[in-house]
Amino acid sequence: MYNLNGNVALITGVSHEKGIGAAICHKLASNGADIFFSHWGSDSNWVKEFEGRIREYGVRCGSLEIDLADPGTPVNILEAVTAEMGLPAILVNNAAHSFRDGYMNLDAKTLDDHYAVNMRATFLLSVEFARRFRQTPIPAGRIINLTSGQALGPMPGELAYAATKGAISAFTLSLSVELAPLGITVNAVNPGPTDTGWMNEVIKKEILPKFPFGRIGMPEDAARLVAFLASEEAEWITGQVLNSEGGFLRG
């Protein structure tokens, strides 16, 4: 257990119960953090029920339906969370846009759609978070980005996704140096192949032998690492991309 009491955590891309974003909300709330999450296209009944489950940890919980592809989202979402709960000390950029392409199908719209969410929203939300953070007495801040291990192996058929998610790793390293004097750490987590509901039985059977632990990655695996990076214990870790894949074997 990490003591996150009194910290407000903003998590993007929490759209369904089986996702990594939902697992992160549960984990941070269980450690005492107040939770504010963004979602897009989710069932409104599920959102209300999910907020209720998070509040059962004894923390506050709020949410906002907002399109991260809108350039104005970074300011709007921070205005919303600050008005309801106060300025967040923890930012988890979990939202992602993913659509298969390949060289025969890649076009400008596909690139732009991936760029808008995976790069622009992540980058602008991070810097807006930092600008506001420097004006408050909060002693330490955490930015945690989710990436997908693009540096570890090719992702054929996902050129736009691989390129835009890979850019997050470079951004993480450079931003971490700029924000260290403010007491903000900036890290990225690569959870590897994770069963968030998208895997059918054929895919599971194919990739299971590549996990030496004998099981496929679960959202809770990523959530535990995010909770650590959000804690005081991780104050000396910044500018890192942590590959938390359970020893996943490529090739």
Side-chain angles (χ1 to χ4, degrees):
M1 294 289 291
Y2 302 110
N3 182 8
L4 300 178
N5 294 341
N7 289 319
V8 175
L10 169 59
I11 302 98
T12 66
V14 182
S15 299
H16 60 92
E17 186 64 36
K18 295 182 179 180
I20 291 176
I24 291 171
C25 289
H26 277 289
K27 189 63 178 176
L28 297 184
S30 72
N31 286 279
D34 294 319
I35 302 298
F36 192 95
F37 64 92
S38 75
H39 59 93
W40 182 247
S42 299
D43 179 79
S44 59
N45 290 328
W46 175 82
V47 172
K48 292 179 180 179
E49 292 172 0
F50 184 73
E51 287 182 1
R53 287 195 293 274
I54 295 300
R55 293 191 185 105
E56 291 176 0
Y57 292 103
V59 302
R60 296 178 295 168
C61 183
S63 68
L64 179 67
E65 181 173 20
I66 193 165
D67 185 2
L68 288 169
D70 185 334
T73 290
V75 170
N76 293 336
I77 195 171
L78 281 166
E79 290 287 348
V81 62
T82 302
E84 184 169 341
M85 296 184 176
L87 191 70
I90 301 164
L91 168 63
V92 182
N93 286 304
N94 169 72
H97 177 82
S98 177
F99 190 84
R100 293 190 63 84
D101 45 49
Y103 79 96
M104 289 294 291
N105 299 310
L106 185 62
D107 57 19
K109 184 179 186 308
T110 301
L111 278 171
D112 290 347
D113 289 347
H114 282 80
Y115 159 77
V117 176
N118 298 347
M119 291 175 61
R120 187 176 66 197
T122 294
F123 297 175
L124 294 183
L125 190 51
S126 296
V127 297
E128 184 65 22
F129 169 89
R131 291 168 188 151
R132 294 168 183 245
F133 184 90
R134 67 179 297 172
Q135 301 172 11
T136 73
I138 300 175
R142 302 285 186 264
I143 297 176
I144 304 163
N145 301 317
L146 271 292
T147 185
S148 301
Q150 285 73 26
L152 303 179
M155 296 182 69
E158 297 184 77
L159 298 175
Y161 179 77
T164 53
K165 291 290 281 186
I168 292 175
S169 298
F171 180 77
T172 295
L173 176 59
S174 292
L175 185 65
S176 69
V177 175
E178 290 196 30
L179 300 191
L182 301 180
I184 302 174
T185 64
V186 188
N187 293 290
V189 170
N190 160 36
T194 303
D195 187 3
T196 59
W198 64 273
M199 295 183 185
N200 58 35
E201 292 305 313
V202 174
I203 294 174
K204 290 179 181 180
K205 184 177 180 180
E206 179 182 348
I207 69 172
L208 182 58
K210 298 182 179 182
F211 285 95
F213 280 104
R215 69 169 178 85
I216 294 172
M218 300 300 295
E220 293 74 18
D221 297 317
R224 283 191 292 270
L225 179 54
V226 169
F228 166 68
L229 291 173
S231 72
E232 291 182 359
E233 283 80 357
E235 67 178 359
W236 201 238
I237 301 173
T238 195
Q240 303 302 306
V241 178
L242 287 84
N243 298 306
S244 179
E245 299 187 320
F248 182 68
L249 304 172
R250 285 176 167 74

